[in-house]
Amino acid sequence: MSDRIGGGNLVMGVPKEAFRPSPIFLGLVALFVTAGVMAWNGFGNVAFDVFLLVVTGWLISLCLHEYAHALVAFRSGDIDAAHRGYLTLNPLKYSHPLLSIVLPVIVVVLGGIGLPGGAVWVNHGALRSRLRSSLVSLAGPATNLVFAIVLALPFVFGVTGETHTEFWAGLALLGFLQLTAAVLNLIPVPGLDGGNIARPWLPYSWKRTWDVIAPFGFIMLFALLWNPTIGGAFFDVVFTLGDLIGMPSYLYGDGFALLRFWNYTTN
């Protein structure tokens, strides 16, 4: 419900400006669309077009992932999520630009894994229940999964990638990255979304240990994925999900080769 006070519209006591997409996010969307048009038409270096398409698409997904966390938190009682700028989709509001934006992009380009990016600070004490606290954490990876399904729709409805192959390979790779992000974030490791989903339901004594381990969650995650058995199982799950939603796995490799445009050759 909106109230008009002093000529300004409020939503739950927060100015509507706090909900408007930031110019940075809108710029990313514009660049994503432009890169898509360039890749579709094979403009210039098509491999670089795909690189731009995938990277800007990934940055958009990082914004949407964190926005989903913040929106559910806001609707669950953490009004400060809006005051902190989290609902403007501005990637600079979510965390440190180097660790939350640059590092995930580097990992995407070099490793083909959707590394979790920035993090919104949620006041879990303001949330109305343990279930809502878990839903806040679930919202991010759920958004990645929805994004992947949307990207898979053209293939479900008959696109094979035989024409405009580079464009469709880039889109398939972007969808694959969304699946890796969703699965990665759902692993119940302290400090990650999967761990945060479980945390509200743990006994208090366990939570104290959990919180001590949480800052090292990323390191634990990479240690787990480095194990061939666990890493192989992780990608088996990702490929299975891709098959279930209709994402063509035969385009992933082409997309990844194009993404690394500095090594790409047409031979």
Side-chain angles (χ1 to χ4, degrees), residues 26-38:
L26 295 177
L28 283 174
V29 172
L31 192 56
F32 174 70
V33 172
T34 301
V37 172
M38 291 166 60

Side-chain angles (χ1 to χ4, degrees), residues 8-25:
N9 290 328
L10 301 178
V11 177
M12 297 176 66
V14 179
K16 281 191 174 181
E17 288 78 8
F19 303 91
R20 292 175 183 168
S22 72
I24 295 176
F25 178 77

Side-chain angles (χ1 to χ4, degrees), residues 107-112 169 173 251-261:
V107 173
V108 161
V109 172
L110 298 181
L173 176 61
L251 286 176
Y252 299 161
D254 291 343
F256 189 64
L258 288 159
L259 181 68
R260 305 176 75 173
F261 66 91

Side-chain angles (χ1 to χ4, degrees), residues 52-224:
L52 199 59
L53 175 71
V54 174
V55 170
T56 54
W58 176 246
L59 290 174
I60 288 170
S61 75
L62 288 180
C63 294
L64 294 174
H65 177 108
E66 301 304 333
Y67 173 83
H69 285 312
L71 181 62
V72 176
F74 177 77
R75 293 296 183 184
S76 300
D78 183 10
I79 305 302
D80 285 340
H83 291 298
R84 298 185 196 103
Y86 294 158
L87 299 179
T88 63
L89 290 160
N90 184 347
L92 301 181
K93 294 289 186 180
Y94 296 133
S95 196
H96 193 283
L98 178 62
L99 298 177
S100 303
I101 299 174
V102 177
L103 181 60
V105 168
I106 291 174
V107 173
V108 161
V109 172
L110 298 181
I113 297 178
L115 183 73
V120 299
W121 186 86
V122 175
N123 180 8
H124 286 272
L127 305 181
R128 300 189 184 103
S129 68
R130 290 186 296 175
L131 176 59
R132 287 179 182 268
S133 185
S134 293
L135 289 176
V136 168
S137 299
L138 178 62
T143 299
N144 290 116
L145 181 57
V146 170
F147 198 178
I149 292 172
V150 170
L151 291 172
L153 287 178
F155 305 106
V156 172
F157 287 105
V159 169
T160 62
E162 294 180 0
T163 58
H164 304 287
T165 303
E166 293 84 2
F167 171 83
W168 294 116
L171 217 62
L173 176 61
L174 183 56
F176 173 80
L177 292 173
Q178 299 307 311
L179 292 176
T180 65
V183 175
L184 202 64
N185 275 285
L186 288 173
I187 297 175
V189 172
L192 298 182
D193 289 337
N196 292 333
I197 291 170
R199 185 186 179 279
W201 308 93
L202 298 176
Y204 179 75
S205 59
W206 289 26
K207 288 181 182 178
R208 295 176 61 184
T209 304
W210 194 267
D211 294 341
V212 170
I213 299 173
F216 307 100
F218 276 125
I219 299 174
M220 294 174 57
L221 180 63
F222 277 110
L224 288 171

